[in-house]
Amino acid sequence: MKTSRSKHYNSSRSSLPFEEGMTGVRYHNVVDDSPERAVLVGLVTPQQDERRTAEYLDELQFLAETAGVETVRRFTQRASGPHPATYLGSGKLTEIRQYIDAEEEEDRNVDMVVFDDELSAKQLRNIEAELKVKILDRTSLILDIFAMRAQTANAKTQVELAQYRYMLPRLQRLWTHLERQGGGSGSGGGKGSVGLRGPGETQLEMDRRIILGRISLLKQRLADIDRQKATQRGNRGRMIRVALVGYTNVGKSTLMNLLSKSEVFAENKLFATLDTTVRKVIVDNLPFLLSDTVGFIRKLPTDLVESFKSTLDEVREADLLLHVVDISHPNFEEQISVVDRTLADLGCADKPSMIIFNKIDAYTWEQKDEDDLTPATQRNVSLDSLIHTWMSRLGGDCLFISARCRTNLDTLRQTIYNKVRQLHVQKYPYNDFLFQHYDSPDAADEAPATDNTTRQ
């Protein structure tokens, strides 16, 4: 006998904000110790081949795991592009629904279906009506993780603003349970509309006004925070600012902890850090400011970039960018491109920068057989060959380290010292902060030691 779903499909763990007085479908938590089970869905298109789709779904699965969701199956479909009404074709939707029903028969409920691309309100409504489970897209999943990770008032305000911006064009989906009759325009309401305007229409207008008012309030609050942060940055003195940037989960926070001897939260999950952390670091006789910023990701929601502008101001005002890359990731070159494009969008493409290839201890490769005539891939390149290739391309603007194993950290400190000192002399020619060594009055001109990094 077919059992009923224990979790109603309108229930969601997502923390989308609702104002007091907004009635209708409420997003609430379900009391259940077991993790929610999800199906992932992606498209194979002429612009995105099967290999890349699999990589994107791997990342989507990592996002789901970060949010506490267990992935049970993946579905992909070849198409020229997303269907405007249902994202997938009707046949694939039927296949997914049959799988969900079969799992339900075995008392293994599928709680949600997560799509790798952002869905429109129409697509969300139609897919949900067909599958009868909770539907999320990549954007809503990232927003959910950001809501989980936000700790400070600044981060919470930015996340809430992004959530409202995402919710605003999708309000109609939340009110499909209410009657929405009527039509036309003008004071008469149009032919046949008198007396037929349902309560859902009124509630939509009311909630839209509430959300627009809340967005305006949050924008004003962020503007106040921007002014406060600008004052803080102005009071930091005449020191060079260095920013750690890169893809999410590449080891920026771990590297921050090693260089500054601080305790920035670091975890092997996506978006472990949302708030920008700034620390004063002294290498030898040179102090500078080091900041750890939020990580970037493919298909980063536009609303998040817009909402986190105040956080990304640390990147805009940095004098030197340290682009951290996870060299053990099979697609680290694409991640480099994603970060470069995001930096270009922020107007930071021309800033002095260097690439730090992290996690060399986790790099693996497969040696090809001598009789294998297939073209070599990234998996067939040894670490030594990779280092030689990138060193030839970038010269002194790249380093290979392992923050976890502390490999080549002394070389990294020495390189950062040289670059920061050069920038400091150019920006502050009077050398306000280049103090002498305490152990020898004449030691300021000697080569700096690299193993005595301290933090004040």
Side-chain angles (χ1 to χ4, degrees):
M1 181 176 179
K2 192 173 184 178
T3 58
S4 60
R5 289 188 173 90
S6 60
K7 301 175 185 177
H8 193 272
Y9 73 93
N10 270 333
S11 299
S12 171
R13 66 180 305 281
S14 175
S15 53
L16 291 178
F18 280 83
E19 284 298 303
E20 196 70 30
M22 290 178 65
T23 58
V25 175
R26 294 282 183 167
Y27 283 74
H28 56 85
N29 292 327
V30 178
V31 180
D32 193 342
D33 294 335
S34 62
E36 291 183 287
R37 304 173 78 243
V39 166
L40 307 184
V41 179
L43 283 182
V44 179
T45 65
Q47 297 77 30
Q48 181 175 298
D49 59 21
E50 190 171 355
R51 179 189 61 82
R52 180 163 295 186
T53 299
E55 294 167 2
Y56 287 177
L57 289 179
D58 287 341
E59 189 171 82
L60 188 65
Q61 180 173 343
F62 199 2
L63 285 168
E65 291 173 356
T66 301
V69 177
E70 177 189 357
T71 299
V72 294
R73 186 164 173 182
R74 300 178 178 185
F75 288 90
T76 59
Q77 182 179 41
R78 292 185 178 274
S80 58
H83 192 283
T86 56
Y87 185 80
L88 299 170
S90 58
K92 183 60 68 172
L93 278 179
T94 301
E95 181 183 345
I96 297 174
R97 187 185 66 228
Q98 291 173 349
Y99 172 78
I100 293 173
D101 291 341
E103 287 292 290
E104 188 177 301
E105 290 283 358
E106 299 295 330
D107 200 22
R108 297 191 299 263
N109 292 335
V110 175
D111 303 296
M112 68 182 72
V113 178
V114 186
F115 289 76
D116 189 46
D117 296 297
E118 186 170 316
L119 302 176
S120 66
K122 181 179 181 181
Q123 289 171 331
L124 282 167
R125 184 170 62 253
N126 292 338
I127 296 171
E128 194 171 73
E130 177 70 20
L131 300 182
K132 299 297 189 296
V133 294
K134 182 170 51 181
I135 306 300
L136 296 178
D137 57 16
R138 188 183 184 93
T139 300
S140 59
L141 186 59
I142 293 176
L143 284 172
D144 188 74
I145 296 172
F146 269 54
M148 292 167 54
R149 297 294 192 183
Q151 299 294 328
T152 66
N154 185 24
K156 291 178 181 178
T157 302
Q158 293 173 121
V159 172
E160 186 179 355
L161 177 59
Q163 288 174 322
Y164 277 124
R165 282 174 165 163
Y166 174 80
M167 183 195 302
L168 188 60
R170 295 167 176 82
L171 277 177
Q172 181 178 348
R173 168 177 169 256
L174 303 179
W175 293 101
T176 53
H177 66 293
L178 291 180
E179 182 184 10
R180 299 189 68 252
Q181 302 180 41
S185 59
S187 60
K191 181 178 179 181
S193 64
V194 177
L196 295 180
R197 189 173 296 278
E201 188 78 23
T202 304
Q203 189 64 58
L204 278 173
E205 295 171 356
M206 184 184 303
D207 287 350
R208 187 173 287 111
R209 286 195 298 271
I210 292 174
I211 289 181
L212 288 173
R214 185 65 177 171
I215 288 176
S216 178
L217 177 64
L218 292 172
K219 284 182 176 179
Q220 181 60 46
R221 190 176 297 172
L222 284 177
D224 296 337
I225 293 175
D226 286 346
R227 285 193 291 271
Q228 295 173 4
K229 286 187 173 293
T231 302
Q232 292 174 0
R233 287 191 291 268
N235 293 333
R236 288 174 182 166
R238 305 176 70 183
M239 286 186 285
I240 294 299
R241 298 171 186 177
V242 181
L244 295 169
V245 297
Y247 210 78
T248 182
N249 199 44
V250 295
K252 296 188 300 299
S253 297
T254 302
L255 189 58
M256 174 82 169
N257 290 335
L258 290 175
L259 292 174
S260 65
K261 296 184 179 179
S262 59
E263 295 297 331
V264 177
F265 179 71
E267 188 180 13
N268 186 29
K269 287 188 177 180
L270 301 180
F271 303 114
T273 302
L274 289 187
D275 294 290
T276 298
T277 304
V278 181
R279 294 288 185 268
K280 181 180 178 181
V281 178
I282 300 177
V283 178
D284 196 64
N285 65 335
L286 177 63
F288 60 92
L289 296 175
L290 181 65
S291 59
D292 179 22
T293 60
V294 63
F296 304 138
I297 197 171
R298 286 174 291 204
K299 304 181 182 179
L300 187 67
T302 306
D303 292 337
L304 280 178
V305 177
E306 184 70 20
S307 299
F308 274 74
K309 276 186 175 179
S310 60
T311 296
L312 296 173
D313 278 342
E314 292 291 343
V315 178
R316 291 191 184 93
E317 299 197 10
D319 300 294
L320 174 65
L321 300 180
L322 301 182
H323 183 173
V324 185
V325 177
D326 177 6
I327 197 172
S328 66
H329 195 281
N331 300 294
F332 71 87
E333 291 184 341
E334 184 179 352
Q335 292 184 351
I336 292 176
S337 300
V338 170
V339 175
D340 287 342
R341 287 195 299 269
T342 306
L343 291 175
D345 293 340
L346 295 173
C348 304
D350 297 330
K351 285 185 177 293
S353 63
M354 66 175 296
I355 295 181
I356 300 174
F357 292 100
N358 190 23
K359 303 186 182 182
I360 60 174
D361 58 302
Y363 183 82
T364 58
W365 65 289
E366 298 176 358
Q367 187 171 4
K368 290 186 60 177
D369 295 332
E370 294 182 358
D371 56 351
D372 187 352
L373 301 180
T374 59
T377 64
Q378 182 66 52
R379 296 177 60 87
N380 305 127
V381 181
S382 67
L383 180 61
D384 290 338
S385 298
L386 206 59
I387 292 176
H388 178 75
T389 300
W390 282 94
M391 290 295 290
S392 299
R393 186 186 308 178
L394 299 176
D397 288 332
C398 70
L399 279 176
F400 295 80
I401 70 166
S402 170
R404 187 174 68 88
C405 298
R406 304 195 174 196
T407 305
N408 294 336
L409 284 188
D410 287 346
T411 304
L412 175 62
R413 291 192 183 102
Q414 176 71 61
T415 304
I416 293 176
Y417 177 91
N418 295 337
K419 288 184 174 294
V420 172
R421 183 184 178 95
Q422 182 181 5
L423 291 170
H424 186 97
V425 172
Q426 293 174 354
K427 191 171 184 179
Y428 308 114
Y430 295 103
N431 285 347
D432 302 70
F433 284 100
L434 292 179
F435 51 80
Q436 291 182 338
H437 293 283
Y438 293 110
D439 55 350
S440 173
D442 299 324
D445 296 330
E446 297 177 0
T450 59
D451 56 352
N452 61 340
T453 303
T454 60
R455 171 171 165 254
Q456 293 182 350

